[in-house]
Structure formats: C-alpha cells, structure tokens
Amino acid sequence: MSGPAQDRPGAVVLAEAGARAWRRVVAAQRAARPDHGEFYALAGELVDTLGALRALAGVLGDQIAGYGSGRVLYDDDGADPGARLSVAARDLAVMAVALSGVEVLAGDCWSEIGHIGVQDGPS
C-alpha cells in the first residue's frame, strides 16, 4: 500500500481495493440488522471470493516456478534465493489446498442458508 496507483501494477491496485471493500463489508454487516437475504448473498460472495483467492494462489505459485529465468536473484540475508522461492511455492500450494477446503465449507454454508425461509412477524 505505497505509492500512487498509477505507479503500481493493476493487479496490486485491484487487490488493495478488494481488501478495502471486504473490510467495509465487515463493518457494514456488523452494524446491520440481521437479514436472511443478506446472509445468503454474503455467503455466496464468500464462495466466489475464496475461489478467486484460491486461483490467485495457484497463479502466483506457477509464476514462482519461473521467477529466476533470465534474471539474477539475490537474497538480502545471503540465503539461497532458490530455496526461499521453493518454500514460497510450497506455501502457496498449501494455501491453495486450504482455500479450496474453506471454499467448500463456504459453499456448504451458503447451501444450508438457502434452505431456510424467514417469515417476519410482529416485533
């Protein structure tokens, strides 16, 4: 989160906007009166967002595989850059699997909410 948006890659600008939007969603929902339609819609958006995050973890993992191609890599601590990239690639693969599992749980939650009907009664 540094520098003007025009100096930053488009994917980074979009990711920052998405994170800000989700923080605003949390604040708005915290202040909202519970509503079944909102629960259902937000659960669906969670499923979609988790799927996008899973896909991004996969893309980043794939990109790390060729990261050093045609470039000289160095490590600011003097460690082996290839070893660090291997760890990062492994972590992204584990993250993608974990996000896939969470995406399934979110889908199950969304489905369960979808089976519920709500009839407003007198307050």
Side-chain angles (χ1 to χ4, degrees), residues 47 49-62 87-105:
V47 173
T49 300
L50 289 165
L53 291 172
R54 176 187 40 75
L56 178 59
V59 167
L60 292 175
D62 291 345
V87 170
R90 182 206 64 216
D91 290 349
L92 283 162
V94 170
M95 189 184 318
V97 169
L99 284 165
S100 181
V102 174
E103 183 182 0
V104 168
L105 290 172

